[in-house]
Amino acid sequence: MTETTNQTGALPLPDRASQILAQARTMMDDLHLGPVQRWKAANPDGLAIGYMPVYVPRPLFEAIGCLPVTIFGGGDQVDIIRGDSYFQSYICHIPRSAIELGLNGHLNCLDGMVFPSLCDVIRNLGGMWKMLFPDRWSSYLDLPQNFALHLGGKFYGQELKRIARELHERGAKAYDPEALRQAMRNENRRRLAINVLDDLRRSEPWRLPASDLYVLLRAGGLMPALDHAELLEEFADAVRSRPARPFDNVRVVLVGAFCEQPPLDLIRTLEKSGCDIVDDDLQLGLRYIESAMDAEAADPLEALANAFIQFGAATASRYIGTAEKGAALLEKVKATKADGVVFAAASFCDPALLDQPMLEAALDRASVPFTSFKFSENTGQFQVIREQAGAFSDSVKLWGTVQ
Amino acid sequence: MSTALPVRNRPPVSLRPATAKDSSQDRQKQMIADHYEKLAHAKENGQKVVYTFVPGNLTELLQALDLLPVLPEINALQSGMRQKSAGYIAEAEKAGHSEDVCTYVKCDIGMLKSGNFGPTGTKLPEPDLLLLSYTGCFTFLKWFELLREEYKCPVVMLHVPYQPDGKISPEMREYVVNQLRDEVIPALEKLSGKKLDMDKLKEHLDLSRQAEDDLVKVWESAKHKPSPIDGYFGGVYYIGPIFTSFRGSQDAVEYYRELRAECEARILRNEGPQTPDGLMGEQRYRLVVEGPPNWTSFPDFWRMFAKEGAVVVASTYTRVGGLYDTGFRHDSSQPLETMADYCLGCYTNLGLPTRVDLLERYIREYEADGFLINSVKSCNSFSAGQLLMLRQLEQRTGVPGGFIESDLVDPRYFSKANIENRLQSYFQMIDARRLRVSA
Ligand code: SF4
Ligand code: SF4
C-alpha cells in the first residue's frame, strides 16, 4: 500500500486510493455480508435480494426499494463441508459454496434470492434453493434468448413485471416509473465510472492493475449503484495522483471467468507473470449492458428490458444468432490493443468451455495468440499457471505469437 | 445410499423364453431404416434436411412442410451403442473440446469430423437449416452454435422458457407461440418453398395424439404385477418413434397400437418384458429410475438389473421428449398453442421441485420398492441437484434410494464393477427394508 505523510507529519496515512481499495477489499471478504446488514439497518423497509451471477436488472430492484446483492459463493475462504454432499464431483464449485453459505446462515440477512438463466447448474440451483429454504422467497429469472424486441423483449418485460409484483407482495415498494428512471440514471452513472476506470487501466495498466479494479467492482455487488458510482469516481480522481511506474508487460484480454470467480491471487499471479489484463469478463454483471440505458423513456420498464436485448454483452450464456462467433472478442482485442487472450474458465463450466473452441478458432483466423487454463474458486496452487502465463507473455513479447 | 454392505450371493433369476415375438420391434426397425434411406437420398430427391433436437421438437411442423429431420442426439447415442463414441469423443477433444463438457456434443462433432456416417453406416446429408428448439438445457444453444460454424448454414431458434414452478403461464405460452408464428414457421416455409397448410399440420397433430394415448397406456401397464414392460431399458425403445421423426405419422400410430396390444397380451399371460437374454422371470424389485442410461454398455447395464429380477416400472428419462402421463396431448384445435405446451412440458424443462413431485408420484402409483438415480457426467441439466432429489424422495416416501454414476456415451466413465457392486448393495438394502417392514 502506498503511504503519504499526514499534515502533522507524525503518522503515515495511506493515500486515498489505497484507502478505498482497502475498504472494498474488506467488503468483498466479508462473507457475512456486513455491508448489506448495514444497509438494511439504515433502510428498515428495504429488502436485500441476493442473486447468482451474471446479470440481473439491478435498477428494477433498486426502484422498488430492494438492494440487489451479488452472491459469488465463498471463493477460497470457505471450507466446503455440507455443500459438497449436494453435488457430484463433475459440477463446478460455485453452487457448492453458495449452498454452504446458505446452510451456514451467512446469507440470513437476505430476504430473497434470484437465479438468472445463466446455465443448467444455476437454473437447477434455483430449484434446490426452493427445496432447502422453502420459507424464503426465491425466483428463477428467465432471460430471453430471442433478441427481437417484440418477442424476447416483450417476454422479458413481462418477467420484470412479475418479479416486481412478487417482491411487492413481500413488502417491497410498488413499481413506480419515476423511481425506475432514477435507478437507471444511477446505474448509468456507475457504468460511466467503470468505463473511466477501464480506460485508465488500458492506458496505464501499471497505475490501475486489473486486480485492483476487480476488488473495487466486487464491492459494487454489495451496495447501491449511486454509492458505488461515487466511490469509483472518487477512486478515479485519487488513483491518478498515486505514484506508479510502467512495466514492460504484454496486454491480454481475460475470457471465461464471468460466473465462478478465480481467487484474487490468481489474477495477481497473471499480472506478476507479465500480463496486463486490459479487459476481462470478471464482474461481467456490472458491465453486461454495454451502453447507457434510456433512463428518460416514457416506459422505463420497457427501456430496461430493451437494454438487455439491444446492448447485452456477447458472452457464453447468450445465444449468438447471426453475428459471427468471436467477432465481439476480436473487436475487444482490437479496441484494447491487446497482444493476446488468456482463457480462464471454471472447471466443469459448460457455457465457457463449450464456447472456447469457437473463440479460439476466431483468434486463430485472426492470428491472435492465446493460452488457456481452468481454475476453481478455491484453487490454492498457482505455480503451473504462473509458468504457463509467464511462458505465454515471454513468447508474445519475443515473437508476437505463441511459439 | 450405503455401499458398505457385503455383496450377497443370491442366485440370479432365470429368464424365460419369449412366447410371442414383439412385432412392434421389427416395425420400428423398418421405420428407422426407411427414414435413413430417405436421408441418404434427400439431396438427390431435392428434399430439405433440418437438424433439430429431441426435447421440444417440432416434428409435426416439419412433416407438414415435408422437411426431413436429423437428430444429433440420436446419432450420438447410436454411436455409443455401436462402440464408436470413444473414438469420436477423442477426435473432438483433439480438436480442442474440453474433457469437462457434455459428451453428446463431442460425440456428434467427432462423428462429423470422421465423415458424418450415421447409425446405418450411410453418410448423413448436411443440414439445410438448424432448428434450435431449445428446451430444458443450455448446451443445446452451444451445440448448434458449434454446428453452425461447421456447416455454415442458417439457424432458426425457438427459445422455450423454463417452468421453475411446474406451471405454464400465459406469458410463456404467448412468447413461444409468437416465436413460432413470426420466426420459426416463416423460416421453415422459406426453406421448404411452400406455405404451411394448417389442415395438414392439424392432421399430424391428431396422429400425435393417437400415438400418445397408446404410449400412456403402455407406461401405465407397469402398474400391473408382474410388469409387462421395463419402463427404462425397454422404455428407451418405446420412446424411439414418438421422440424422434415419427410422432405425427401414421406409422407411429400403428407402432404404438401394436406395442400397446403386445403389453396387454403379456399382462394376460402374466409375462414380464423382454430383456437382452429373453423374457424376464421373477420380478423381485420394482424400481423407479431418474436420469439417462449409459449407452456404451447398454446391454450389460440392463443385464445387471434383469439378472437380479429388478424391473423398472417408471423412469424420467423416457419423459424427456414429452411428458404425456400427466395429461398433455397434442390438440389440433390449437395448433401453435399445443406445440408451445409440448415444448414447455418436457421433463428437464421442469423445476427441480416439480421433478421430485413427479418421481414421488411414480414411486407411489407404481408401488415401487426403490428408486435409483443414474447420474451422468455429461448432463448438468439432469444431474445438478440429483443428490438433493435423492434425500427428498427418501424422506417423503421412506423408500430406499440408490445412486450410481456413469456417462451417456463416454466409456471412460462407465465402471462396470463399481456399478455392479453398488447395485448389489442397493438391492440388499431393499431386502433389509422388506424384512424390517414385515417383522
Ligand atoms: S461456473 Fe459455469 S457451469 Fe458453473 S454455475 Fe457458473 S456458468 Fe454455470
Ligand atoms: S447436457 Fe444433457 S440435455 Fe443437454 S445436450 Fe448434453 S445430454 Fe442433452
Side-chain angles (χ1 to χ4, degrees):
Chain A
M1 188 179 286
T2 311
E3 291 178 335
T4 52
T5 310
N6 72 0
Q7 293 296 316
T8 63
L11 287 169
L13 285 179
D15 66 72
R16 185 62 191 135
S18 302
Q19 281 175 342
I20 294 173
L21 269 176
Q23 179 191 340
R25 178 71 200 263
T26 309
M27 289 172 79
M28 166 181 154
D29 288 345
D30 183 351
L31 292 180
H32 285 277
L33 304 179
V36 179
Q37 293 184 35
R38 289 190 287 281
W39 180 86
K40 284 191 71 170
N43 298 275
D45 294 334
L47 303 180
I49 304 297
Y51 70 91
M52 296 303 292
V54 172
Y55 158 89
V56 298
R58 296 177 59 97
L60 179 69
F61 292 96
E62 292 203 10
I64 56 173
C66 298
L67 178 68
V69 179
T70 327
I71 302 302
F72 279 112
D76 53 358
Q77 293 189 67
V78 166
D79 283 334
I80 307 296
I81 297 154
R82 290 193 275 179
D84 272 346
S85 66
Y86 287 93
F87 292 99
Q88 301 89 323
S89 56
Y90 46 78
I91 288 175
C92 58
H93 206 270
I94 183 171
R96 301 162 199 275
S97 64
I99 292 266
E100 190 78 27
L101 293 177
L103 293 174
N104 284 351
H106 284 70
L107 307 181
N108 281 354
C109 67
L110 298 178
D111 300 288
M113 276 293 286
V114 174
F115 298 84
S117 55
L118 176 66
C119 70
D120 296 324
V121 173
I122 297 281
R123 186 195 69 182
N124 289 10
L125 181 64
M128 293 174 74
W129 212 265
K130 276 193 194 295
M131 290 193 279
L132 285 168
F133 308 103
D135 301 331
R136 289 193 230 162
W137 179 82
S138 66
S139 179
Y140 182 70
L141 173 69
D142 218 337
L143 301 167
Q145 295 287 0
N146 178 303
F147 302 113
L149 290 178
H150 72 291
L151 297 170
K154 183 174 176 201
F155 172 72
Y156 188 39
Q158 290 162 340
E159 268 291 273
L160 298 183
K161 282 185 194 147
R162 176 186 64 79
I163 293 271
R165 192 176 58 240
E166 286 188 16
L167 281 169
H168 179 49
E169 283 162 8
R170 280 154 189 86
K173 288 184 199 157
Y175 167 67
D176 165 23
E178 190 41 44
L180 181 56
R181 284 191 197 96
Q182 188 52 48
M184 286 161 76
R185 282 180 208 118
N186 294 344
E187 193 66 49
N188 281 342
R189 181 166 161 189
R190 184 216 320 248
R191 188 72 180 87
L192 213 61
I194 295 174
N195 286 351
V196 168
L197 293 174
D198 272 336
D199 286 346
L200 183 62
R201 69 135 153 195
R202 276 164 206 152
S203 57
E204 296 178 73
W206 52 89
R207 183 176 300 284
L208 178 55
S211 51
D212 282 357
L213 183 53
Y214 173 73
V215 171
L216 285 171
L217 296 191
R218 273 292 291 261
L222 301 162
M223 60 206 294
L226 184 60
D227 294 354
H228 193 219
E230 286 170 356
L231 190 79
L232 297 180
E233 287 161 0
E234 190 186 355
F235 179 84
D237 287 342
V239 79
R240 282 179 219 281
S241 54
R242 192 161 71 156
R245 107 191 124 76
F247 297 112
D248 178 24
N249 285 347
V250 296
R251 296 165 67 84
V252 300
V253 174
L254 184 70
V255 180
F258 47 83
C259 171
E260 183 169 322
Q261 301 285 283
L264 183 58
D265 282 340
L266 193 154
I267 304 172
R268 290 189 172 139
T269 297
L270 289 178
E271 290 171 338
K272 281 188 203 137
S273 315
C275 296
D276 284 335
I277 303 166
V278 290
D279 201 303
D280 59 67
D281 54 9
L282 303 157
Q283 298 300 298
L284 181 62
L286 296 181
R287 294 190 175 100
Y288 192 89
I289 304 299
E290 292 185 324
S291 180
M293 293 173 281
D294 182 4
E296 310 313 320
D299 181 349
L301 199 92
E302 187 183 80
L304 185 64
N306 290 355
F308 173 85
I309 298 288
Q310 294 174 302
F311 307 124
T315 184
S317 62
R318 189 177 170 102
Y319 174 61
I320 303 295
T322 46
E324 190 154 339
K325 275 305 278 191
L329 175 59
L330 284 173
E331 190 56 42
K332 209 173 262 184
V333 168
K334 199 168 145 206
T336 59
K337 299 190 177 66
D339 304 301
V341 170
V342 174
F343 289 101
S347 293
F348 304 109
C349 175
D350 268 355
L353 293 168
L354 285 160
D355 222 32
Q356 202 168 305
M358 292 180 274
L359 302 183
E360 288 177 355
L363 294 177
D364 263 338
R365 288 193 294 271
S367 305
V368 176
F370 59 85
T371 188
S372 62
F373 60 82
K374 290 185 286 188
F375 68 85
S376 148
E377 61 177 356
N378 63 346
T379 300
Q381 296 293 325
F382 307 115
Q383 186 57 25
V384 175
I385 291 170
R386 179 176 300 132
E387 283 166 14
Q388 189 181 336
F392 178 73
S393 72
D394 288 347
S395 172
V396 171
K397 246 185 268 175
L398 281 172
W399 296 291
T401 182
V402 183
Q403 292 292 300
Chain B
M1 108 185 216
S2 160
T3 49
L5 296 167
V7 174
R8 76 232 158 104
N9 278 322
R10 197 165 157 177
V13 297
S14 47
L15 300 165
R16 293 157 50 182
T19 48
K21 194 166 162 20
D22 288 347
S23 55
S24 63
Q25 271 189 26
D26 294 334
R27 182 187 288 275
Q28 182 173 165
K29 271 189 202 142
Q30 193 53 50
M31 285 158 70
I32 293 169
D34 291 348
H35 182 68
Y36 280 100
E37 187 61 19
K38 273 194 220 158
L39 284 171
H41 299 289
K43 297 287 161 172
E44 65 202 61
N45 292 339
Q47 255 202 301
K48 301 290 187 203
V49 174
V50 173
Y51 283 20
T52 195
F53 291 114
V54 169
N57 65 50
L58 300 169
T59 301
E60 297 86 354
L61 195 53
L62 298 181
Q63 286 171 341
L65 286 160
D66 294 321
L67 298 166
L68 271 181
V70 169
L71 297 134
E73 294 146 288
I74 302 297
N75 296 336
L77 81 83
Q78 293 280 359
S79 300
M81 282 183 136
R82 291 182 304 131
Q83 311 305 316
K84 299 247 180 212
S85 54
Y88 291 159
I89 291 166
E91 191 70 34
E93 288 180 0
K94 215 163 63 196
H97 291 267
S98 168
E99 63 189 48
D100 287 358
V101 301
C102 169
T103 50
Y104 262 14
V105 181
K106 287 187 288 186
C107 186
D108 187 42
I109 300 271
M111 186 180 96
L112 162 64
K113 292 194 180 299
S114 313
N116 223 13
F117 290 98
T120 52
T122 50
K123 196 170 166 62
L124 289 171
E126 296 207 347
D128 296 295
L129 179 94
L130 299 170
L131 172 56
L132 172 49
S133 57
Y134 138 63
T135 299
C137 158
F138 287 86
T139 297
F140 290 134
L141 288 176
K142 300 281 106 189
W143 193 338
F144 270 11
E145 279 183 359
L146 283 157
L147 286 199
R148 188 188 68 155
E149 293 279 293
E150 301 284 346
Y151 291 117
K152 311 281 180 222
C153 70
V155 191
V156 62
M157 202 267 272
L158 175 69
H159 174 210
V160 178
Y162 185 58
Q163 283 196 52
D165 304 314
K167 287 190 208 88
I168 300 177
S169 70
E171 290 83 6
M172 292 175 187
R173 184 179 293 118
E174 183 196 19
Y175 177 38
V176 179
V177 166
N178 289 348
Q179 290 177 84
L180 286 169
R181 192 193 53 227
D182 293 357
E183 293 191 341
V184 176
I185 293 174
L188 296 176
E189 285 178 334
K190 188 170 164 213
L191 180 70
S192 75
K194 61 175 105 160
K195 201 99 201 98
L196 175 65
D197 176 345
M198 271 298 177
D199 289 336
K200 202 170 167 198
L201 175 62
K202 287 179 184 179
E203 277 168 29
H204 287 296
L205 292 167
D206 278 333
L207 292 172
S208 292
R209 185 184 43 72
Q210 290 176 43
E212 288 155 4
D213 278 342
D214 281 332
L215 174 63
V216 171
K217 293 288 180 220
V218 170
W219 293 145
E220 288 176 346
S221 72
K223 289 181 183 166
H224 186 266
K225 292 179 186 175
S227 169
I229 63 163
D230 185 288
Y232 186 55
F233 297 104
V236 302
Y237 292 100
Y238 304 158
I239 57 175
I242 210 152
F243 279 14
T244 61
S245 327
F246 306 105
R247 196 185 60 241
S249 71
Q250 190 60 42
D251 274 350
V253 170
E254 278 158 28
Y255 168 80
Y256 284 102
R257 192 180 299 145
E258 198 167 344
L259 179 66
R260 176 179 170 181
E262 285 165 0
C263 294
E264 288 169 351
R266 277 204 293 275
I267 288 181
L268 291 177
R269 295 194 299 267
N270 240 11
E271 263 178 16
Q274 286 280 0
T275 74
D277 306 310
L279 275 189
M280 193 169 189
E282 183 196 356
Q283 296 187 358
R284 291 176 183 159
Y285 310 104
R286 295 168 61 82
L287 302 181
V288 167
V289 174
E290 145 78 12
N294 160 272
W295 300 114
T296 49
S297 301
F298 187 78
D300 278 348
F301 194 28
W302 190 348
R303 282 187 188 101
M304 289 180 202
F305 290 74
K307 75 176 173 112
E308 293 294 336
V311 65
V312 180
V313 288
S315 68
T316 52
Y317 178 70
T318 51
R319 274 58 168 181
V320 80
L323 192 63
Y324 301 110
D325 47 0
T326 51
F328 171 80
R329 296 288 185 280
H330 279 93
D331 171 7
S332 63
S333 69
Q334 297 186 308
L336 301 193
E337 288 77 6
T338 205
M339 288 194 289
D341 286 358
Y342 162 70
C343 295
L344 285 156
C346 291
Y347 175 70
T348 47
N349 205 46
L350 307 178
L352 245 54
T354 314
R355 283 171 58 184
V356 172
D357 289 347
L358 185 71
L359 279 157
E360 180 183 354
R361 191 185 130 182
Y362 285 156
I363 292 166
R364 293 190 196 284
E365 284 185 3
Y366 287 79
E367 296 181 27
D369 304 304
F371 66 92
L372 184 83
I373 294 177
N374 180 37
S375 176
V376 293
K377 176 183 174 287
S378 269
C379 186
N380 285 345
S381 176
F382 255 107
S383 305
Q386 280 176 329
L387 284 160
L388 179 60
M389 292 170 82
L390 177 82
R391 291 182 196 200
Q392 293 263 326
L393 285 166
E394 278 185 331
Q395 271 169 19
R396 288 196 205 175
T397 64
V399 160
F403 200 84
I404 53 176
E405 291 181 276
S406 66
D407 188 51
L408 293 157
V409 289
D410 192 335
R412 292 174 294 188
Y413 300 101
F414 186 85
S415 163
K416 190 174 174 214
N418 190 293
I419 293 175
E420 206 148 32
N421 264 334
R422 281 189 164 235
L423 284 176
Q424 291 277 336
S425 305
Y426 176 58
F427 293 133
Q428 207 167 26
M429 215 159 99
I430 299 179
D431 290 341
R433 179 173 185 267
R434 276 189 184 140
L435 278 177
R436 273 201 313 276
V437 171
S438 64

